[in-house]
Amino acid sequence: MDVLTPDQLPDAARLLTAGQMVAVPTPRWYMLCARAADPTATNAVFRAKQRPSTKPLLLLLDSPVTAEALFDLSDDARLLACGLWPGDLALRLPWKPGVEPIAAVGSPALVGCPDGALGWLVALAGEPLAAAVCSISTPAAREEDHPALTAAQVGAFERTTGAGIAAVVDGGICPHGRHMTIVDCPAGTPARLEREGTVHARAVEAALIPPGGPHVG
């Protein structure tokens, strides 16, 4: 497994294009990434994490514009994407009629538009990525199996699992060690906070107030 600097993100993108898996830092923890449209690459992520295929991966997009092209966005989903993307918010979204769902991310899909190194990587890849936390997935995870917060811990994960990670982008220590916030956004139905994480519930509430709506404070 190669260790790359953040300046070498273009090299990481080329590895992804070649069907490889890479690990990338976020403020939360390191994520395993692969081309979403490449079943061989996404299957490698499932195998590395010992993750059941019934637990879909996270889909990463470069912008709300791409989300609009692929998914049936409610008014609430658009407000959340406008107010909190890019960032640590994931939206559970239904695919647009006529768009073939990506098997590895399921239907509806859990969709993010990341910032930082991961956001740059999605942009450099030029296509959606599938991602998951660099750790053994439940139910296979043991009490001591924690998400990787450093590149060294990604290396330990690779040695223990033989995951086949081509490279890790060393971004130092990930400080938050928390999940993304998830909001379920069915078409034609008000958004519902599914899980609070690094994005505060009050931030979600604020983003859902349309322009010209009531001021809270």
Side-chain angles (χ1 to χ4, degrees), residues 45-197:
V45 178
F46 281 108
R47 287 196 303 272
K49 290 180 58 61
Q50 302 174 43
R51 185 184 183 97
S53 59
T54 52
K55 292 181 65 176
L57 304 178
L58 171 69
L59 184 67
L60 300 177
L61 304 180
D62 60 346
S63 71
V65 173
T66 304
E68 189 81 49
L70 296 174
F71 296 98
D72 190 357
L73 300 187
S74 65
D75 290 342
D76 281 354
R78 291 188 179 93
L79 287 170
L80 290 166
C82 180
L84 294 171
W85 276 1
D88 280 347
L89 179 72
L91 303 179
R92 197 173 298 282
L93 300 173
W95 295 88
K96 268 190 172 180
V99 175
E100 182 69 25
I102 297 172
V105 301
S107 181
L110 190 61
V111 183
C113 181
D115 54 8
L118 188 53
W120 277 111
L121 184 63
V122 178
L124 287 166
E127 62 180 309
L129 301 181
V133 179
C134 184
S135 66
I136 301 296
S137 183
T138 54
R142 303 162 298 173
E143 186 174 346
E144 63 269 26
D145 289 325
H146 302 295
L149 300 181
T150 67
Q153 290 172 5
V154 174
F157 175 85
E158 169 65 23
R159 290 190 297 273
T160 299
T161 64
I165 302 169
V168 57
V169 178
D170 188 349
I173 301 170
C174 303
H176 294 167
R178 295 187 65 197
H179 286 286
M180 302 177 79
T181 295
I182 298 176
V183 179
D184 188 15
C185 296
T189 305
R192 178 184 66 86
L193 181 65
E194 184 175 319
R195 182 186 72 195
E196 185 176 4

Side-chain angles (χ1 to χ4, degrees), residues 32-47:
L32 299 175
C33 300
R35 290 182 62 237
D38 184 341
T40 300
T42 55
N43 285 342
V45 178
F46 281 108
R47 287 196 303 272

